[in-house]
């Protein structure tokens, strides 16, 4: 029995209202929603994979690729945006060479944009492994990434 089958066993077969909780459980277990997982869920719920993928892409919390060893969450909420989050995001993009939601080729880094992390007086804010970096500026990014690369080697 696969891990996904174990999750599905907790839900009623064919029950469409279980879709979001199932997607959340699978992502929590696997770290992302794989094509295989979506196919299995579709079969279990008797639902097309197109509908499942369409619903999952509507919500920004679902990922379709594995995260890197170091996963950054960058706040792009109103306050952080006003305080320069765009330049921070651009610096991260340039430093890592990937877009939000992607993972670097070496599997070390990934990042996503979030709507708000609740640090509105401290923005822009970046979070990784429950560590919060506040008042981040674009010029801070190269040193931050360098430090995080060293930490990624230890994982």
């Amino acid at each position: 029995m696969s891990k996904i089958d174990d999750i599905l066993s907790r839900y009623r077969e064919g029950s469409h209202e279980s879709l979001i909780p199932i997607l959340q459980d699978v992502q929590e277990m696997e770290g992302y929603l794989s094509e295989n997982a979506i196919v299995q869920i579709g079969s279990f719920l008797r639902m097309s994979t197109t509908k499942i993928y369409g619903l999952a892409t509507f919500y920004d919390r679902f990922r379709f690729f594995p995260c890197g060893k170091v996963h950054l969450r960058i706040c792009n909420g109103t306050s952080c945006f006003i305080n320069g989050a765009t330049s921070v995001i651009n610096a991260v993009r340039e430093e890592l060479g990937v877009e939000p939601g992607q993972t670097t080729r070496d599997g070390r880094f990934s990042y996503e944009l979030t709507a708000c992390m609740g640090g509105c007086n401290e923005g822009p804010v970046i979070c990784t492994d429950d560590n919060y970096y506040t008042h981040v500026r674009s010029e801070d990014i190269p040193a931050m990434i360098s430090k995080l690369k060293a930490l990624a080697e230890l994982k």
Side-chain angles (χ1 to χ4, degrees), residues 18-124:
S18 299
L19 176 59
I20 291 177
I22 290 171
L23 293 174
Q24 290 170 325
D25 288 351
V26 169
Q27 180 166 288
E28 184 177 328
M29 184 217 24
E30 289 195 329
Y32 70 107
L33 300 174
S34 67
E35 185 177 334
N36 178 55
I38 291 173
V39 168
Q40 278 188 265
I41 293 166
S43 177
F44 179 78
L45 294 178
R46 293 185 209 91
M47 194 175 206
S48 80
T49 55
T50 305
K51 281 189 177 188
I52 294 171
Y53 185 76
L55 181 113
T57 57
F58 176 78
Y59 296 100
D60 68 352
R61 301 305 302 166
F62 292 117
R63 292 183 299 276
F64 301 95
F65 300 98
C67 288
K69 287 181 180 178
V70 176
H71 183 72
L72 305 171
R73 291 177 37 234
I74 305 171
C75 184
N76 197 28
T78 304
S79 182
C80 287
F81 177 82
I82 289 170
N83 286 310
T86 301
S87 66
V88 170
I89 294 163
N90 290 337
V92 169
R93 179 184 292 120
E94 185 175 312
E95 194 70 25
L96 297 180
V98 295
E99 297 295 320
Q102 296 179 337
T103 303
T104 57
R105 287 181 190 246
D106 62 8
R108 283 194 212 170
F109 286 92
S110 58
Y111 71 102
E112 67 181 303
L113 307 182
T114 63
C116 184
M117 291 205 239
C120 298
N121 293 339
E122 308 293 328

Side-chain angles (χ1 to χ4, degrees), residues 8-19:
L8 295 175
S9 71
R10 294 183 250 155
Y11 295 92
R12 191 168 50 89
E13 195 169 337
S15 174
H16 290 198
E17 59 272 3
S18 299
L19 176 59

Side-chain angles (χ1 to χ4, degrees), residues 70 95-96 108-109 140-153:
V70 176
E95 194 70 25
L96 297 180
R108 283 194 212 170
F109 286 92
D140 302 332
I141 297 303
M144 178 186 289
I145 297 297
S146 180
K147 177 182 169 187
L148 292 170
K149 277 183 183 175
L151 292 174
E153 295 296 322

